Amino acid sequence: MRAIVIGSDGLVGGALFSALAAGGLDVIGTTRRLDRVADGRTVHFDLAEPEIAGIPSADIVFICAAMTSFAACRASPQLAQQINCVAPLALASHLVSLGTKVVFLSTSAVFDCQAPLMQPDRNYGGESVYGRSKAEAERRILGLGRLATVVRLTKIVSRRQQIFRTWEAALTLRRSIEAFDDHRISPITMEHSVDALTAIAARGEGGIYQVSGASDASYYEIASYLASRIGAESSLVRPCSAGSRGLPAEEITPFTSLDCARLSDLTGFHPPQPLNVIEEALLSESES
């Protein structure tokens, strides 16, 4: 079976590309950066100016590339619409017409995030530019039929992310930090995401799958746990509201957790507890 990963030089796309190749699949990746095209395993493809005819034939295509920064989407809404909706839809329509299975990566931001463990069929309600662009793409891609699959992911955490590196450095030096107490995530690891995507590629059917933690934790709770785990005083972590630091109301998420029952039925996935994910993804990486 041949697979193509659109955006194989991105965070999720890169990990997925490596996992599929390690599993023995014939995998081709795409990049929008010409200097990264090499060895026949990576081809040029840019969602901002897509040349769909240049995509090689495949059995399954994962659309991982996206404009994921809320701030960048807010600053350039037309570009966000092009990259997150218009181009993926055109690509998916072309591929489905050829009999190719399409897996589109999406986000919990398509919802209003006002309740935990959001069901797959919950009404769309995201108000951010990012969430709206992904919601429209979801609706239209799912309308292509049984060859179309949407996989919604909550926040993938890694020690490499700047916010955690900044917190860790400050707390290690016994300097205070501020963290949002009203803005929550339902963290998962890269391994959770890749395991789900590879299983869906092998055994999944069309429709919606959701990958999420078991519940939500605020950035303040996560920072406080990080402080206690590295032996820093709890008073060094100070709560603040996301709005007071300039985050628009439509981008503040009281809840992001998703119901994962369909994925659990397929793979036996057990949604992890938030602080267990932090332990695994951040602290274990630090110790290693």
Side-chain angles (χ1 to χ4, degrees), residues 157 163-172 174-185 187 216-240 274-275 278-279 282-283:
V157 296
I163 186 172
F164 300 119
R165 294 170 63 186
T166 300
W167 284 352
E168 183 180 39
L171 292 169
T172 299
R174 301 304 187 256
R175 295 175 179 168
S176 64
I177 62 173
E178 291 186 333
F180 303 145
D181 61 358
D182 59 347
H183 187 40
R184 298 180 181 86
I185 59 174
D216 299 271
S218 69
Y219 281 91
Y220 173 71
E221 291 172 302
I222 292 170
S224 297
Y225 178 75
L226 179 60
S228 68
R229 186 62 173 73
I230 65 177
E233 296 83 357
S234 60
S235 60
L236 290 174
V237 183
R238 301 174 181 174
C240 67
L275 297 184
I278 299 305
E279 177 76 26
L282 307 185
L283 299 170

Side-chain angles (χ1 to χ4, degrees), residues 253-266:
T253 54
F255 302 98
T256 67
S257 55
L258 303 169
D259 180 272
C260 301
R262 190 179 185 213
L263 178 64
S264 297
D265 289 342
L266 179 69

Side-chain angles (χ1 to χ4, degrees), residues 13-206:
L16 177 61
F17 181 95
S18 296
L20 294 173
L25 268 67
D26 175 16
V27 190
I28 295 174
T30 77
T31 176
R32 63 184 176 87
R33 300 172 177 87
L34 288 171
D35 61 330
R36 296 189 181 182
V37 175
D39 67 27
R41 298 186 66 195
T42 307
V43 299
H44 180 256
F45 184 76
D46 188 350
L47 288 172
E49 298 178 346
E51 296 181 6
I52 293 171
I55 292 293
S57 61
D59 300 289
I60 184 168
V61 175
F62 294 88
I63 304 178
C64 301
M67 189 172 176
T68 59
S69 165
F70 282 76
C73 290
R74 190 188 332 126
S76 303
Q78 290 183 326
L79 182 60
Q81 181 71 4
Q82 167 66 22
I83 292 174
N84 292 341
C85 180
V86 176
L89 175 62
L91 176 60
S93 299
H94 170 73
L95 293 168
V96 166
S97 73
L98 299 176
T100 302
K101 183 175 180 179
V102 174
V103 179
F104 176 70
L105 270 61
S106 192
T107 169
S108 56
V110 300
F111 298 125
D112 61 11
C113 297
Q114 297 301 306
L117 299 175
M118 291 171 279
Q119 297 289 323
D121 59 354
R122 182 185 177 91
N123 290 335
Y124 292 111
E127 291 299 322
S128 66
V129 174
Y130 174 57
R132 291 200 307 270
S133 65
K134 296 294 275 191
E136 183 180 347
E138 275 196 22
R139 282 193 298 264
R140 299 178 71 178
I141 289 173
L142 288 170
L144 297 175
R146 61 179 182 82
L147 291 176
T149 300
V150 165
V151 180
R152 296 181 183 133
L153 306 174
T154 55
K155 181 72 172 180
I156 298 172
V157 296
S158 166
R159 186 170 176 265
R160 290 178 293 174
Q161 290 164 331
Q162 187 61 48
I163 186 172
F164 300 119
R165 294 170 63 186
T166 300
W167 284 352
E168 183 180 39
L171 292 169
T172 299
L173 294 172
R174 301 304 187 256
R175 295 175 179 168
S176 64
I177 62 173
E178 291 186 333
F180 303 145
D181 61 358
D182 59 347
H183 187 40
R184 298 180 181 86
I185 59 174
S186 184
I188 53 177
T189 66
M190 183 61 70
E191 183 178 5
H192 294 137
S193 304
V194 170
D195 285 351
L197 290 167
T198 53
I200 290 166
R203 307 189 301 278
E205 299 177 351

